[in-house]
Amino acid sequence: MSREKDTTYEVPIGPIHPALKEPFLIKFKLKGEEIVDAEPFPGMNHRGIEFMGMHRNPMEVIPLSERICGICSIVHQHMFTTATEHALSIEPTNRARYIRTIMCELERIHSHILWAGVAAHEIGFDTHLHFTWKIREKVMDLLEYIAGNRVNYSMWTFGGVRRDITEEMYPKIFETLEYYENLYEKLEEIFLEDPSIKLRTRGVGVLTKKDALELCGVGPTVRASGVKKDVRIDQPYAAYGDLDLDYVIPSRYGFENKGDVFCKTVVRLKELLQSVDIIKKCVEQMPEGEITSEPKKAALLNKLGKSAGEGIGRIEAPRGEAIHYVRLSEERDDVDCWKIRASTYNNLSTYAPMFMGEQIADIPLIAASIDPCIGCMDRAEIIDINRGEVQSYTKEELHELSVKKTKQITKGGVE
Amino acid sequence: MNFVLDWGIKFVLVLLISLIGIFLGLLYKGFDRKITAMMQSRIGPPLRQPFRDVKKLFMKETIIPDYAVPWLFNYAPIFALLPSLVALAYLPLGPFGPLMDGYGDLILLLYLLAIPAVAMAIGGLASGSPYATVGAQRELVLMMSYELPLAIAAVTLAYNYETFSVGVISSEPVWSTVGAMGFVGFALVLATLLAVMPGELSKVPFDQAEAETELAGGLFVEYSGRNLALFYIAEAVKMIFVGALLIALFFPYQLSTLIDPWISLGGPTIPLLEMGLWAMIADVAFFLVKLLVIIYVGVSVIRVAFARFQINKASYFYWVPMTIIGLLGTLLVVLERTGL
């Protein structure tokens, strides 16, 4: 019968679309309301930050690095700083490690609350968007109180931090933490018990544990599937080694590790509570001492210009593991090479299994469920100017290119 | 000669009612937005914001996309607006009975209620955008879903009064025509109608056809300028239409008559209310308050308290639970009427 023709049609979501907070393109193949195929096309928000960084000295790159992302500015600042410290073998002071931990966790609190609001907005529940963003103001106020800025805090320096958390600040910190502890039950009631939210989040956007492991997802996205993966525990940085942490996975709290949007909400909400605990412990255990091991700016700059080396900075960002690679050379004062791999880059590949078989209505929520940060992720794009085409490479082609480059560098010595 | 004069006056009155309907629609849209904002701990726009929106939209360029069918695309907004305006002439508004009483009944109103949704779907399909097409499909699915509970409610009322005439139904409040069992029955029917209201008006949780975060405005994604302004007004007038319909069917109380038993019980008379004009003003004010309450309950509160449903779940909601509740209400009314 001739009736059996292809009834699928294509709907592009993006590059500019209300479901996405940043320019990004996903092409969907639909059959009625059902998604048959989804393919993400990144590269719409490339700003060339790495290139800019490679034309500045490391000191100047710190403020640049935090401008990669508006939400996780501490994350990138931390990674760049630790990568450079790694390259130069600078050790941050103990007090700085604790202050860094506190700041990182404060940022996690604000990021997760912001995500909860965005998720509520994506399913048309604007009341909770306004509620969560209102309570988020409290931690923003605290960040401003400590760092002097609501975003882009400029707290980090090589060897430590630039601003101290003094004892006068403790009451305000504890007050804010208490505020969130008191509100936590309400948040849980809203996001885990509200029937109309449960209707939209349960069983939607499922990422199985197998897929999560195979696609190398990171952060809350895979922890919701029961994958125990957290840089803070696996390879502790800053002061996390001194703290007794456990993986936040849904089964710890009596939920199934299903990997749907509901589980991702559970993970993020529980991490909120975990962050509050971490900050409390950090403030209580805060060691005395200097806040930076390199207090002399001129000496530090001199050292940065003259030394060579390469280093890696890792962090468990609110969205998952992210990495910076930094290389410094003796000939140039500027950063020789800077490579960023943000958590969204890994999580992007988890989109395909999550979207499959779901409805159009679930697109925004599933898209938001990995908490995408396109500004962090878009790092490279290949454009053929002559043909006016945007090109993409497959895994095999990239591998071939890498082998070719390695041969060039080592002059054919390595096979 | 008398005939011509009579219809001349009616014509002028219909125009007047249309203008009042548009004014009230935009005003109540402002109320809705302000109340919603206050419930969401926002400040919210001023009451006159919808008027400003319309004024601005009329000044903007009206763009017709290349892939659109121009005449369908341009006529759809007009056909979305007109039925709601016409319907106002068949509804009792406060102290005034239906202007066109005897020329149309509840059945006509149900059809007038359906036309804007169809017009919106046609406009969406004619705009040639995939988002609008999906939105139009959803609008039609949703319409098919809420028509059933709506029809059940209409039939129940008609059965009770043995007529479809809105004038007759609104002459006596439905609650006083039945006993306890019928009262419960009509309460269930009212509940179904209140659940249909956000669907009719495309408000959260039933705004799948527009679904800002999913379809970027859905049906209206290609509309701009004058056409969008007409849709905007149509939506506002439809809100008044549905509100006034609910009032006519379930709460046709007048302040001037409500006060009578109180006076007969020996309460002090209010001299102003005994004069015709003041009684009328009081009734109009009472009608406006009732409208506000209906819109508050049927639109604002529901909008604030729910997330958007997926389209299949919205359909299920109307077809199964709401239909069952409606039928249960009908059953109770029938049981009481037949004296079983």
Tab-separated table of all heavy atoms in Angstrom, chain A residues 336-363:
chain	number	residue	atom	x	y	z
A	336	ASP	N	51.508	29.566	26.654
A	336	ASP	CA	51.878	28.948	25.386
A	336	ASP	C	50.705	28.167	24.805
A	336	ASP	O	50.451	28.217	23.602
A	336	ASP	CB	53.072	28.022	25.613
A	336	ASP	CG	53.868	27.859	24.347
A	336	ASP	OD1	53.982	28.860	23.609
A	336	ASP	OD2	54.347	26.746	24.090
A	337	CYS	N	50.023	27.435	25.640
A	337	CYS	CA	48.879	26.664	25.170
A	337	CYS	C	47.862	26.564	26.290
A	337	CYS	O	48.216	26.421	27.461
A	337	CYS	CB	49.347	25.265	24.739
A	337	CYS	SG	47.976	24.241	24.209
A	338	TRP	N	46.617	26.671	25.914
A	338	TRP	CA	45.558	26.604	26.926
A	338	TRP	C	44.417	25.819	26.320
A	338	TRP	O	43.930	26.164	25.238
A	338	TRP	CB	45.107	28.026	27.286
A	338	TRP	CG	44.074	28.104	28.356
A	338	TRP	CD1	43.833	27.187	29.330
A	338	TRP	CD2	43.156	29.182	28.573
A	338	TRP	NE1	42.825	27.623	30.153
A	338	TRP	CE2	42.388	28.844	29.706
A	338	TRP	CE3	42.919	30.388	27.935
A	338	TRP	CZ2	41.389	29.675	30.204
A	338	TRP	CZ3	41.923	31.210	28.433
A	338	TRP	CH2	41.173	30.860	29.549
A	339	LYS	N	44.050	24.741	26.947
A	339	LYS	CA	42.960	23.912	26.418
A	339	LYS	C	41.931	23.681	27.522
A	339	LYS	O	42.275	23.332	28.644
A	339	LYS	CB	43.553	22.579	25.919
A	339	LYS	CG	42.533	21.555	25.512
A	339	LYS	CD	41.847	21.937	24.228
A	339	LYS	CE	40.625	21.053	24.025
A	339	LYS	NZ	39.528	21.777	23.400
A	340	ILE	N	40.689	23.916	27.150
A	340	ILE	CA	39.615	23.756	28.135
A	340	ILE	C	38.709	22.616	27.698
A	340	ILE	O	38.345	22.525	26.527
A	340	ILE	CB	38.765	25.044	28.222
A	340	ILE	CG1	39.648	26.238	28.571
A	340	ILE	CG2	37.652	24.873	29.235
A	340	ILE	CD1	39.023	27.556	28.254
A	341	ARG	N	38.385	21.743	28.609
A	341	ARG	CA	37.355	20.758	28.311
A	341	ARG	C	36.299	20.843	29.408
A	341	ARG	O	36.528	20.426	30.544
A	341	ARG	CB	37.934	19.347	28.230
A	341	ARG	CG	37.077	18.443	27.363
A	341	ARG	CD	36.724	17.142	28.049
A	341	ARG	NE	35.957	17.403	29.261
A	341	ARG	CZ	36.004	16.629	30.310
A	341	ARG	NH1	36.784	15.604	30.342
A	341	ARG	NH2	35.268	16.910	31.385
A	342	ALA	N	35.167	21.462	29.068
A	342	ALA	CA	34.124	21.676	30.077
A	342	ALA	C	33.231	20.445	30.180
A	342	ALA	O	33.181	19.612	29.279
A	342	ALA	CB	33.305	22.898	29.710
A	343	SER	N	32.521	20.375	31.276
A	343	SER	CA	31.717	19.177	31.554
A	343	SER	C	30.609	18.959	30.528
A	343	SER	O	30.260	17.828	30.205
A	343	SER	CB	31.110	19.277	32.946
A	343	SER	OG	31.058	20.593	33.395
A	344	THR	N	30.081	20.043	29.987
A	344	THR	CA	28.994	19.904	29.028
A	344	THR	C	29.431	19.138	27.788
A	344	THR	O	28.641	18.445	27.170
A	344	THR	CB	28.469	21.294	28.629
A	344	THR	OG1	28.143	21.993	29.820
A	344	THR	CG2	27.245	21.202	27.764
A	345	TYR	N	30.727	19.247	27.445
A	345	TYR	CA	31.230	18.558	26.253
A	345	TYR	C	31.020	17.054	26.380
A	345	TYR	O	30.590	16.387	25.433
A	345	TYR	CB	32.710	18.890	26.057
A	345	TYR	CG	33.293	18.289	24.817
A	345	TYR	CD1	33.021	18.844	23.575
A	345	TYR	CD2	34.093	17.165	24.881
A	345	TYR	CE1	33.527	18.289	22.428
A	345	TYR	CE2	34.605	16.609	23.736
A	345	TYR	CZ	34.328	17.173	22.506
A	345	TYR	OH	34.841	16.621	21.377
A	346	ASN	N	31.296	16.526	27.570
A	346	ASN	CA	31.071	15.095	27.784
A	346	ASN	C	29.589	14.759	27.808
A	346	ASN	O	29.155	13.755	27.259
A	346	ASN	CB	31.669	14.678	29.127
A	346	ASN	CG	33.146	14.528	29.050
A	346	ASN	OD1	33.786	15.294	28.348
A	346	ASN	ND2	33.676	13.549	29.731
A	347	ASN	N	28.847	15.601	28.499
A	347	ASN	CA	27.441	15.279	28.706
A	347	ASN	C	26.615	15.403	27.429
A	347	ASN	O	25.523	14.851	27.336
A	347	ASN	CB	26.847	16.190	29.787
A	347	ASN	CG	27.285	15.763	31.157
A	347	ASN	OD1	27.670	14.611	31.361
A	347	ASN	ND2	27.257	16.676	32.106
A	348	LEU	N	27.140	16.131	26.464
A	348	LEU	CA	26.390	16.353	25.235
A	348	LEU	C	26.065	15.037	24.541
A	348	LEU	O	24.994	14.856	23.970
A	348	LEU	CB	27.226	17.228	24.306
A	348	LEU	CG	26.452	18.185	23.425
A	348	LEU	CD1	25.593	19.073	24.282
A	348	LEU	CD2	27.425	19.016	22.623
A	349	SER	N	27.023	14.080	24.601
A	349	SER	CA	26.789	12.821	23.903
A	349	SER	C	25.714	11.987	24.590
A	349	SER	O	25.164	11.071	23.986
A	349	SER	CB	28.092	12.041	23.790
A	349	SER	OG	28.791	12.116	25.008
A	350	THR	N	25.403	12.320	25.850
A	350	THR	CA	24.343	11.568	26.514
A	350	THR	C	22.962	12.003	26.030
A	350	THR	O	21.960	11.374	26.358
A	350	THR	CB	24.403	11.740	28.038
A	350	THR	OG1	24.146	13.109	28.352
A	350	THR	CG2	25.740	11.345	28.595
A	351	TYR	N	22.907	13.073	25.252
A	351	TYR	CA	21.619	13.552	24.739
A	351	TYR	C	20.907	12.479	23.917
A	351	TYR	O	19.717	12.233	24.094
A	351	TYR	CB	21.822	14.776	23.842
A	351	TYR	CG	21.664	16.102	24.542
A	351	TYR	CD1	22.206	17.268	24.010
A	351	TYR	CD2	20.941	16.204	25.725
A	351	TYR	CE1	22.074	18.486	24.636
A	351	TYR	CE2	20.805	17.410	26.367
A	351	TYR	CZ	21.377	18.555	25.810
A	351	TYR	OH	21.217	19.757	26.428
A	352	ALA	N	21.677	11.837	22.996
A	352	ALA	CA	21.051	10.935	22.035
A	352	ALA	C	20.182	9.865	22.700
A	352	ALA	O	18.991	9.779	22.396
A	352	ALA	CB	22.109	10.327	21.136
A	353	PRO	N	20.729	9.058	23.645
A	353	PRO	CA	19.845	8.055	24.253
A	353	PRO	C	18.725	8.662	25.084
A	353	PRO	O	17.657	8.058	25.218
A	353	PRO	CB	20.801	7.225	25.127
A	353	PRO	CG	21.995	8.057	25.326
A	353	PRO	CD	22.108	8.922	24.126
A	354	MET	N	18.964	9.853	25.642
A	354	MET	CA	17.928	10.450	26.500
A	354	MET	C	16.733	10.936	25.698
A	354	MET	O	15.594	10.859	26.134
A	354	MET	CB	18.525	11.603	27.309
A	354	MET	CG	19.407	11.155	28.442
A	354	MET	SD	19.585	12.413	29.691
A	354	MET	CE	20.661	13.566	28.911
A	355	PHE	N	17.005	11.464	24.499
A	355	PHE	CA	15.911	12.022	23.700
A	355	PHE	C	15.060	10.946	23.026
A	355	PHE	O	13.892	11.141	22.772
A	355	PHE	CB	16.461	12.952	22.619
A	355	PHE	CG	16.731	14.335	23.102
A	355	PHE	CD1	17.970	14.925	22.938
A	355	PHE	CD2	15.722	15.066	23.721
A	355	PHE	CE1	18.209	16.215	23.380
A	355	PHE	CE2	15.963	16.347	24.167
A	355	PHE	CZ	17.207	16.918	23.999
A	356	MET	N	15.710	9.814	22.720
A	356	MET	CA	15.051	8.819	21.881
A	356	MET	C	13.716	8.356	22.453
A	356	MET	O	13.619	7.931	23.606
A	356	MET	CB	15.996	7.632	21.700
A	356	MET	CG	16.061	7.120	20.295
A	356	MET	SD	16.421	8.421	19.122
A	356	MET	CE	18.180	8.564	19.326
A	357	GLY	N	12.676	8.459	21.624
A	357	GLY	CA	11.371	7.949	22.013
A	357	GLY	C	10.574	8.869	22.913
A	357	GLY	O	9.450	8.557	23.281
A	358	GLU	N	11.140	10.011	23.280
A	358	GLU	CA	10.385	10.948	24.116
A	358	GLU	C	9.541	11.866	23.247
A	358	GLU	O	9.557	11.771	22.032
A	358	GLU	CB	11.353	11.763	24.986
A	358	GLU	CG	12.225	10.934	25.898
A	358	GLU	CD	11.450	10.301	27.047
A	358	GLU	OE1	10.254	10.606	27.205
A	358	GLU	OE2	12.027	9.472	27.761
A	359	GLN	N	8.807	12.768	23.911
A	359	GLN	CA	7.930	13.671	23.167
A	359	GLN	C	8.570	15.038	22.975
A	359	GLN	O	9.519	15.380	23.666
A	359	GLN	CB	6.635	13.874	23.940
A	359	GLN	CG	5.783	12.644	24.004
A	359	GLN	CD	4.446	12.963	24.618
A	359	GLN	OE1	4.015	14.100	24.625
A	359	GLN	NE2	3.796	11.956	25.126
A	360	ILE	N	7.982	15.812	22.057
A	360	ILE	CA	8.468	17.185	21.855
A	360	ILE	C	8.428	17.950	23.174
A	360	ILE	O	9.317	18.725	23.494
A	360	ILE	CB	7.593	17.946	20.842
A	360	ILE	CG1	7.550	17.208	19.518
A	360	ILE	CG2	8.118	19.350	20.632
A	360	ILE	CD1	6.657	17.894	18.517
A	361	ALA	N	7.356	17.694	23.937
A	361	ALA	CA	7.167	18.434	25.185
A	361	ALA	C	8.328	18.232	26.142
A	361	ALA	O	8.585	19.080	26.993
A	361	ALA	CB	5.872	18.000	25.851
A	362	ASP	N	9.046	17.110	26.007
A	362	ASP	CA	10.123	16.830	26.944
A	362	ASP	C	11.459	17.388	26.488
A	362	ASP	O	12.428	17.356	27.239
A	362	ASP	CB	10.253	15.314	27.136
A	362	ASP	CG	8.964	14.721	27.673
A	362	ASP	OD1	8.340	15.381	28.512
A	362	ASP	OD2	8.579	13.627	27.240
A	363	ILE	N	11.509	17.907	25.252
A	363	ILE	CA	12.797	18.392	24.731
A	363	ILE	C	13.440	19.422	25.662
A	363	ILE	O	14.587	19.248	26.063
A	363	ILE	CB	12.643	18.957	23.296
A	363	ILE	CG1	12.328	17.829	22.326
A	363	ILE	CG2	13.913	19.673	22.869
A	363	ILE	CD1	12.029	18.306	20.916
